[in-house]
């Protein structure tokens, strides 16, 4: 519509200029008849010219306004297109950054495991999709994840799946229990470490047909990060030697489990480590939390010891004043090695 208006006003300007041209011709003919008349006509023409120029200026102003409006609209439209293109570029960049190619974890005569994709928004939590294959002719294999960590922090998906002889299975490995990670600021999974174990489901004494650790880097290995916890003034350091670190991060009552002692565990060795508690007492009464936890080599974990409310109530304990226990930490795969830690701990929450 603005373009039509511009064309109309341009035509009006041309007609005005043509009329001005005719007036000038008449004035020229009048000059040949009489000098006095020429003078009068000349003055009249000057007045007329001023009027015509004023009209032309108004027309030009209107046309310029229309053109400016049209140009502004075009610029705005162009800016809109540019913004959409920028958003598209950013979207494409994000997709590129999180792209994932299939990763073959193991492929031998007995079995195969392939990580086929990532579903970060799965209803069950951050999920890896996997293809499992049993190549044997007469055995049922159990495919499991023995250990897993996110950015160096333990986070087990508790995954296990049976596949019968000669069959394949598409499965999901979901980290539905990652709330602790989020509470500690781990919201982007840059390094997912998984230890797979495949074995005969009917003969646990047989050797594994596969046992392998693999890293999945959703954003590329160059962008992988490792979690580092900052020490707090409220921390209680129980152990910190060349092998392990154990820190009490807090004590609290839990509505579901009872009384909890929250721990931060660090494994500095190249082997899986077991953290266990024996001969525990609360306010001088023997109350066992039945606590034990493992941490894979070179990783850390957030863990908790729980004393069930019923056990505390049975001993008349309504307020926890003192906790005592034996802390034993050792190589989970080689019991012949001396314990990394074996000492009695006393806590006064």
């Amino acid at each position: 519509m603005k373009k039509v208006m511009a064309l109309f006003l341009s035509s009006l300007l041309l007609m005005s200029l043509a009329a001005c041209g005719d007036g000038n011709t008449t004035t020229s003919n009048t000059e040949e008849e009489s000098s006095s008349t020429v003078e009068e006509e000349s003055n009249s023409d000057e007045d007329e010219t001023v009027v015509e120029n004023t009209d032309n200026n108004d027309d030009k102003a209107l046309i310029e306004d229309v053109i400016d409006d049209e140009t502004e609209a075009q610029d705005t439209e162009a800016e809109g297109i540019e913004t959409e293109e920028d958003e598209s570029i950013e979207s494409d960049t994000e997709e590129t950054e999180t792209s994932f190619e299939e990763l073959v974890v193991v492929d031998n005569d007995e079995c195969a495991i392939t990580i086929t994709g990532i579903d970060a928004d799965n209803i069950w939590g951050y999920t890896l999709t996997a293809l499992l294959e049993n190549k044997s002719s007469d055995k049922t294999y159990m495919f499991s994840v023995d250990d897993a960590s996110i950015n160096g922090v333990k986070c087990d998906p508790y995954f296990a799946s049976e596949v019968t002889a000669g069959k394949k299975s598409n499965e999901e490995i979901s980290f539905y229990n990652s709330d602790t990670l989020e509470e500690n600021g781990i919201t982007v999974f840059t390094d997912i470490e998984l230890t797979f174990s495949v074995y005969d489901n009917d003969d646990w004494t047989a050797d594994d047909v596969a046992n392998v650790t693999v890293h999945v880097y959703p954003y590329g290995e160059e962008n992988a990060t490792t979690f580092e916890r900052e020490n707090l003034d409220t921390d209680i350091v129980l152990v910190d030697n060349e092998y392990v670190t154990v820190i009490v991060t807090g004590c609290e009552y839990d509505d579901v489990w009872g009384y909890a002692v929250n721990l931060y565990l660090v494994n500095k060795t190249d082997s899986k480590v077991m953290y266990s508690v024996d001969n525990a007492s609360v306010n001088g009464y023997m109350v066992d939390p039945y606590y034990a936890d493992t941490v894979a080599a070179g990783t850390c974990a957030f863990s908790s010891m729980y004393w069930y409310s019923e056990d505390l109530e049975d001993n008349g304990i309504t307020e926890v004043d003192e906790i005592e226990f034996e802390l034993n930490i050792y190589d989970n795969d080689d019991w012949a090695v001396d314990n990394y830690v074996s000492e009695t701990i006393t806590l006064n929450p």
Side-chain angles (χ1 to χ4, degrees):
M1 184 65 182
K2 291 180 179 180
K3 292 181 179 179
V4 173
M5 182 61 74
L7 291 174
F8 172 74
L9 292 175
S10 297
S11 299
L12 181 59
L13 177 59
L14 292 175
M15 291 174 64
S16 297
L17 292 174
C20 180
D22 292 340
N24 289 337
T25 302
T26 302
T27 302
S28 177
N29 292 335
T30 305
E31 289 175 353
E32 293 178 357
E33 297 176 356
S34 171
S35 59
S36 61
T37 305
V38 168
E39 184 176 358
E40 292 176 0
E41 289 292 337
S42 176
N43 292 335
S44 176
D45 286 342
E46 287 179 0
D47 293 339
E48 185 179 355
T49 301
V50 171
V51 173
E52 289 178 353
N53 286 340
T54 301
D55 292 339
N56 292 339
N57 289 336
D58 291 340
D59 292 339
K60 289 180 179 178
L62 288 172
I63 293 172
E64 288 175 355
D65 290 341
V66 172
I67 293 174
D68 289 341
D69 291 341
E70 185 71 20
T71 302
E72 183 179 353
Q74 292 176 352
D75 291 342
T76 302
E77 183 178 357
E79 290 177 359
I81 294 174
E82 182 178 356
T83 300
E84 291 177 359
E85 290 177 350
D86 290 343
E87 292 178 353
S88 177
I89 291 172
E90 291 177 0
S91 177
D92 291 342
T93 301
E94 291 177 358
E95 290 180 1
T96 300
E97 289 177 349
T98 59
S99 63
F100 175 78
E101 296 182 359
E102 288 191 352
L103 175 64
V104 178
V105 177
V106 62
D107 187 4
N108 59 29
D109 293 338
E110 297 296 325
C111 66
I113 302 173
T114 304
I115 305 296
T116 57
I118 295 175
D119 182 3
D121 299 319
N122 190 284
I123 189 174
W124 298 111
Y126 197 98
T127 298
L128 302 178
T129 54
L131 174 62
L132 314 178
E133 181 179 1
N134 181 347
K135 299 182 182 180
S136 74
S137 58
D138 58 354
K139 298 177 182 178
T140 296
Y141 286 147
M142 176 67 76
F143 293 74
S144 67
V145 173
D146 289 350
D147 294 293
S149 66
I150 304 295
N151 300 357
V153 180
K154 179 178 179 178
C155 187
D156 285 334
Y158 305 114
F159 171 81
S161 179
E162 287 185 9
V163 182
T164 56
K167 305 299 182 181
K168 299 179 182 180
S169 180
N170 285 304
E171 298 291 341
E172 293 184 345
I173 303 172
S174 299
F175 293 90
Y176 60 87
N177 58 343
S178 61
D179 292 346
T180 301
L181 299 183
E182 295 179 2
E183 292 171 359
N184 287 276
I186 303 175
T187 57
V188 179
F189 293 9
T190 64
D191 180 4
I192 305 170
E193 181 179 6
L194 302 166
T195 298
F196 286 95
S197 177
V198 184
Y199 54 89
D200 189 335
N201 191 56
D202 300 317
D203 185 2
W204 289 13
T205 62
D207 293 336
D208 292 351
V209 296
N211 193 298
V212 61
T213 298
V214 63
H215 287 261
V216 177
Y217 301 106
Y219 300 90
E221 185 174 358
E222 68 279 5
N223 294 314
T225 59
T226 300
F227 173 77
E228 294 183 8
R229 180 182 179 274
E230 294 184 4
N231 294 328
L232 303 176
D233 294 338
T234 55
D235 288 349
I236 301 174
V237 180
L238 302 184
V239 177
D240 188 16
N241 59 27
E242 61 182 306
Y243 305 108
V244 296
T245 296
V246 180
I247 298 174
V248 175
T249 61
C251 300
E252 60 185 357
Y253 283 94
D254 184 279
D255 293 336
V256 177
W257 299 105
Y259 190 81
V261 174
N262 299 318
L263 304 170
Y264 177 63
L265 314 175
V266 180
N267 179 1
K268 305 174 187 178
T269 75
D270 56 3
S271 302
K272 181 188 289 189
V273 169
M274 171 68 77
Y275 298 73
S276 66
V277 167
D278 297 310
N279 299 323
S281 65
V282 178
N283 295 357
Y285 291 89
M286 299 297 293
V287 184
D288 196 343
Y290 307 105
Y291 172 80
D293 202 355
T294 58
V295 180
T299 64
C300 59
F302 291 94
S303 183
S304 294
M305 285 190 291
Y306 290 101
W307 280 264
Y308 296 116
S309 298
E310 293 180 359
D311 292 338
L312 297 178
E313 291 172 0
D314 289 344
N315 287 278
I317 300 172
T318 57
E319 189 75 23
V320 176
D321 299 317
E322 181 184 85
I323 299 174
E324 186 176 280
F325 55 86
E326 292 179 9
L327 179 62
N328 294 299
I329 306 175
Y330 49 88
D331 190 322
N332 187 71
D333 301 319
D334 188 356
W335 290 9
V337 178
D338 292 339
N339 286 5
Y340 299 128
V341 174
S342 185
E343 59 181 86
T344 299
I345 302 293
T346 299
L347 287 176
N348 298 106

